[in-house]
Amino acid sequence: MRKIDLCLSSEGAEVILATSSDEKHPPENMIDGNPETFWTTTGMFPQEFIICFHKHVRIERLVIQSYF
């Protein structure tokens, strides 16, 4: 059975809140499926985001990549 990444905008996921945003690297980049794009936070820590799934999902794995 092929695993589907339900945390993609192409699968209906949506970033409904982000505590910071950058014009060149908006929060929506987190879920666009492109490994070359990213969300840049601005300001102090901590930063938060909320991703909305438009159906019930079972989360089996969570991957967060952070640099610098």
Side-chain angles (χ1 to χ4, degrees), residues 10 14 17 26 30 32-34 36 38 42-43 51 54 60 65:
S10 61
E14 219 180 334
L17 174 102
M30 289 187 282
D32 69 1
N34 182 347
E36 300 296 317
F38 52 91
T42 57
I51 296 176
H54 293 283
E60 295 179 359
Q65 296 177 337

Side-chain angles (χ1 to χ4, degrees), residues 14-30:
E14 219 180 334
V15 178
I16 60 169
L17 174 102
T19 53
S20 68
S21 185
D22 179 85
E23 188 176 297
K24 294 181 182 177
H25 307 287
E28 292 76 22
N29 285 357
M30 289 187 282

Side-chain angles (χ1 to χ4, degrees), residues 4 27 30 33 36-37 45-48 57 60 62-63 67-68:
I4 298 171
M30 289 187 282
E36 300 296 317
T37 62
F45 294 104
Q47 297 294 325
E48 297 180 55
V57 298
E60 295 179 359
L62 176 66
V63 177
Y67 299 94
F68 304 112

